[in-house]
Amino acid sequence: MVNPNPSPPLRLTPASPGVAPASAGGRKSPSDSMRNNSDSAPRRRQRMSILLVAAAALVAAACVTASSQSHIPVVRRGTRTTGRGSSKPPLFGRQRKYAGDGSSLESPVATLTNASLVLGCGAACLSLSCAYDPLSRTHRLDVERADGESAFFPASGRSTPIEGVFGIYDLPSGPHAALITGSEMAYAGPSMGNRTLCEIRRVSSMEIVRIPGGSPGILGHAARREEGRQVRLLRRALRAHDFYYGAGRNTVLPDFTHALQRLCNGVSDGGRDARFYWNEALVRPLLGGGGVDGDETVRRLAIPCTSASVGVARDVPLPSLDGATVEKADLLLVSRRSRFRVGTRFTVRGADGEGHVANFAETEQLLIVLDDDEGGDGEEERENGGKGVGEKSPGLREVYSHVQIRGSIPLAWSSPTDGKTYTPRVRIGTDPVDQARRLRAHLAECVNVYGPGENGALPTRKIPREAEAIPTITFVDLVDGHGDQGRLGRHLGEVLAAVVEVHSTQQTGNKTWHLPPGSVRHVRYDFHAETGGGRWHRLADLVELVMPELVGHGCASASPDGDGKLTLRSVQTGTLRTNCMDCLDRTNVAQAAFGRHALFAQLQRRGAGDDASGFRRNVPLRASTAFRRNTLRLPWPEGEQAFRTLWADNADAISRLYAGTRALKGDFTRTGVRTKMGALDDGANSVKRFYINNYEDAERLEAYELMTGVRPFSGTGEEEWPADGEGVGTGDADSDAGADAGASAAVRWPTGRRRGRGPIAGMLYVATQIPILAAAVAVLLLAPGILGWRRRDAGEGDGER
């Protein structure tokens, strides 16, 4: 039987050019769709080329950012730069004439002659020169002083204004002076009548100048080369650090090395805190040489500098009861880093024999409430965002301070890098007596500085009675509960219990220190286990664990008394000591949570003073209720934003010096949420840390020790250490008696050669950019879908032409 409607035969010949044969049913075949898509292939390739160029630019920018460092312009004699690519005239390049009595000099001036370096301050000056002793083959620094008409200022000479002297470095070619040639105002406090609360300045430029005299030509070629290498490391360390100091003679708080409470308790101007007096050993030749010890001119020139992080949020509005009254405050966050046991992440860990721990920092949170009704005479200037000239400077109503500390676990332990694993194995000391001695010495220092009673620095009469039962020092331990970290955390708890029960008596100089029962508490909190999987709300549980200390310790508060002085209204009776393995990332997040609670408590206690039943100007009820529900967020947006920015910047500043990169988990501290871009940034920083810690930390450690005077300069390229064990950077002579003996030796590479600069190091540096490359690839893969560059469906063709 024949089909009346036979199907047309299938054509096997190709279609004519320019004609698109239709498929059955009016639909196009897959080959037709591909042919139509091929028409837009050149345009697609152009778009992909643009994306590839953008990704390459992103990688190049990341490389430049990784290699750049915030730096202080420390330059050689004869050239002076303010940054990369810019220059200024030489430091001692101008001829300047001075009056013979120096009465016209209002600020210090340095004058360089052929015979000496003259430092002038007012009507007095110092003359620095050196002499070479051929028998001992050493240089001797001579310091002479002159006043009035007998000043050493020549009629003409190469001179420049300076801020002061950072220190004297004893190089093999002769002593060199590090001069502070520039600074900038970090914070200018409110006025208190004819005085100001404080002036904090940051060193912006330095100059290293050789003191004339001596015999610089005695060094051979190898010695000069080694000295040049060490000087470059010194400049690198000075660039990496931000140094601050208290300026102004007419300030209520002139000393930056002390917190508010210690200054209000009557600490004398000369009683600097040795932990935060970074250039103390460097200015010692000036203070003790030439019979000028205690001289006012020397004290004016020798500026006590502190390696710190200072964050300022000005004119932050405060919540009020009626909603109409607008009060403003300045919020400051100051972290002072200790100069003892200075070092880098894997090279310096734990505590030395004197109780000094690695990466120790005192963080002070200041709330300065302003009073616009009482201010200065209108001629004062608050630089960098403050009141301008001619405007009325705000007065001070009251100031609040809360102090926390951080530091490495105070035991003998180490974790030297091996170049193979990201987390090296932890080596813990095995001598229980040595471990107890280190921990006991550290506790003695903490209780002596932050504790109440006659052994502490606080007036006993102002301690609330309910605070006597609160532990003075609370160890908040955030290490993991398993593995090497868990083993180290359990060891700390065992040694701490033994110290409190058995070894509670400590001899400190001529004074016997006794640890009262119940004055130390150890809180263990497995940070990763509790907050893993995005459960960051569990940080509120950590705040609840230490709530008795946060409430019982209180905070320090002071107000003007009308005579240009501050009077303490309340005191802080203890502190929280937070640590993880590095005292960086987890510690930053925890301390920010504690600081937020302390800030809100300060607002609630405003006006109460040291009388718990006194009048309190509380925040609105809705704000108090909101904060009780969520203690991880302040109940007003302006305060929360300023608070997060200050703590995030503080975390990055401390992490750069110890680990070499920004802090991890910074997105949570800055925004309050954990983001995918933040996790990607943490991955990039982790890889960079691996490279820096394995291939750069040895030189960074040497640079830090040269800068602080712990390591002497050597012209031979070999290690030279003081015989009396002053090497606090890596511990004293018996610092590794209980720990593994090879832990410290693993990082004591010879200083005369560079380590890890070959092809392997270059490949590892390239590997630091792998997360960024992964981000670029992700952009390439996701961009077509985001921008709508998807392939057309079969039914979306152009049709027949």
Side-chain angles (χ1 to χ4, degrees), residues 146-222:
D147 290 317
E149 296 182 357
S150 61
F152 288 104
F153 283 115
S156 63
R158 297 174 295 174
S159 61
T160 185
I162 62 173
E163 301 284 340
V165 180
F166 184 80
I168 306 296
Y169 289 99
D170 188 12
L171 274 67
S173 61
H176 287 59
L179 305 178
I180 301 175
T181 57
S183 65
E184 59 185 20
M185 184 71 71
Y187 178 73
S191 62
M192 297 175 55
N194 58 350
R195 306 178 67 186
T196 57
L197 177 65
C198 63
E199 290 183 8
I200 304 175
R201 301 191 69 88
R202 187 185 73 88
V203 176
S204 59
S205 62
M206 287 189 189
E207 174 74 18
I208 300 178
V209 181
R210 181 181 173 275
I211 298 177
S215 300
I218 61 173
L219 298 179
H221 175 72

Side-chain angles (χ1 to χ4, degrees), residues 321-673:
L321 287 174
D322 53 7
T325 304
V326 178
E327 285 186 301
K328 294 184 178 180
D330 290 345
L331 186 60
L332 271 69
L333 190 64
V334 179
S335 287
R336 304 174 180 90
R337 300 179 65 248
S338 175
R339 68 182 177 93
F340 297 117
R341 201 158 174 80
V342 63
T344 54
R345 186 184 179 197
F346 287 122
T347 59
V348 180
R349 298 276 207 179
D352 60 13
E354 298 179 358
H356 303 306
V357 297
N359 199 25
F360 182 88
E362 176 190 87
T363 301
E364 182 180 16
Q365 183 176 279
L366 291 166
L367 177 66
I368 302 175
V369 184
L370 307 178
D371 188 357
D372 292 332
D373 297 334
E374 297 183 7
D377 55 4
E379 297 298 329
E380 302 178 13
E381 179 181 2
R382 301 180 73 202
E383 301 182 29
N384 296 333
K387 300 291 182 181
V389 176
E391 300 182 18
K392 187 176 181 181
S393 177
L396 174 67
R397 177 168 297 175
E398 50 201 357
V399 56
Y400 297 87
S401 169
H402 184 263
V403 174
Q404 302 181 64
I405 59 176
R406 73 174 72 188
S408 184
I409 295 178
L411 299 175
W413 66 282
S414 61
S415 57
T417 59
D418 53 7
K420 300 178 181 179
T421 59
Y422 181 76
T423 55
R425 294 300 305 270
V426 175
R427 304 174 180 178
I428 305 176
T430 57
D431 186 356
V433 176
D434 179 70
Q435 298 282 46
R437 176 172 60 88
R438 294 167 190 259
L439 179 57
R440 184 177 57 189
H442 181 70
L443 286 175
E445 180 184 50
C446 292
V447 173
N448 182 61
V449 175
Y450 304 103
E454 60 182 3
N455 290 331
L458 311 182
T460 308
R461 60 181 178 84
K462 291 185 179 295
I463 300 176
R465 181 172 299 178
E466 60 271 15
E468 296 180 356
I470 302 297
T472 302
I473 306 295
T474 299
F475 281 75
V476 182
D477 193 2
L478 304 177
V479 299
D480 295 344
H482 57 85
D484 286 348
Q485 295 190 25
R487 186 164 53 92
L488 182 60
R490 290 188 296 270
H491 192 66
L492 172 62
E494 296 171 357
V495 178
L496 183 61
V499 168
V500 173
E501 296 176 3
V502 181
H503 307 282
S504 60
T505 302
Q506 169 75 17
Q507 186 73 24
T508 306
N510 298 327
K511 195 173 186 179
T512 301
W513 169 85
H514 180 71
L515 183 64
S519 59
V520 179
R521 182 188 174 203
H522 184 208
V523 176
R524 293 202 62 185
Y525 184 83
D526 192 336
F527 186 93
H528 289 152
E530 295 293 336
T531 63
R535 299 172 297 182
W536 294 95
H537 61 278
R538 290 194 175 185
L539 282 174
D541 299 337
L542 175 61
V543 177
E544 288 295 329
L545 286 177
V546 297
M547 188 63 69
E549 286 83 356
L550 285 173
V551 176
H553 290 163
C555 64
S557 62
S559 59
D561 59 1
D563 297 332
K565 297 181 180 179
L566 284 176
T567 301
L568 274 178
R569 304 300 181 187
S570 61
V571 296
Q572 183 176 344
T573 60
T575 188
L576 297 176
R577 187 198 184 279
T578 310
N579 72 265
C580 51
M581 290 297 289
D582 305 321
C583 303
L584 294 177
D585 312 318
R586 289 171 281 184
T587 300
N588 295 326
V589 175
Q591 284 196 336
F594 302 152
R596 181 182 289 103
H597 186 278
L599 176 60
F600 193 79
Q602 291 168 358
L603 295 176
Q604 286 185 315
R605 288 188 56 86
R606 286 186 56 199
D610 55 358
D611 185 8
S613 61
F615 172 74
R616 300 184 183 183
R617 292 171 288 183
N618 292 325
V619 297
L621 179 61
R622 63 179 181 276
S624 300
T625 304
F627 189 73
R628 282 196 300 268
R629 292 177 179 175
N630 184 11
T631 58
L632 301 181
R633 181 178 295 274
L634 291 173
W636 80 101
E638 299 86 357
E640 177 67 15
Q641 180 61 36
F643 180 88
R644 289 189 179 278
T645 302
L646 290 179
W647 276 95
D649 294 342
N650 174 77
D652 291 340
I654 296 179
S655 180
R656 283 191 183 97
L657 289 176
Y658 193 61
T661 67
R662 298 192 307 270
L664 307 185
K665 306 175 180 65
D667 57 330
F668 179 80
T669 306
R670 196 175 296 274
T671 64
V673 294

Side-chain angles (χ1 to χ4, degrees), residues 244-259:
Y244 294 85
Y245 64 93
R249 298 184 179 181
N250 199 27
T251 56
V252 181
L253 306 176
D255 190 358
F256 185 73
T257 63
H258 288 287

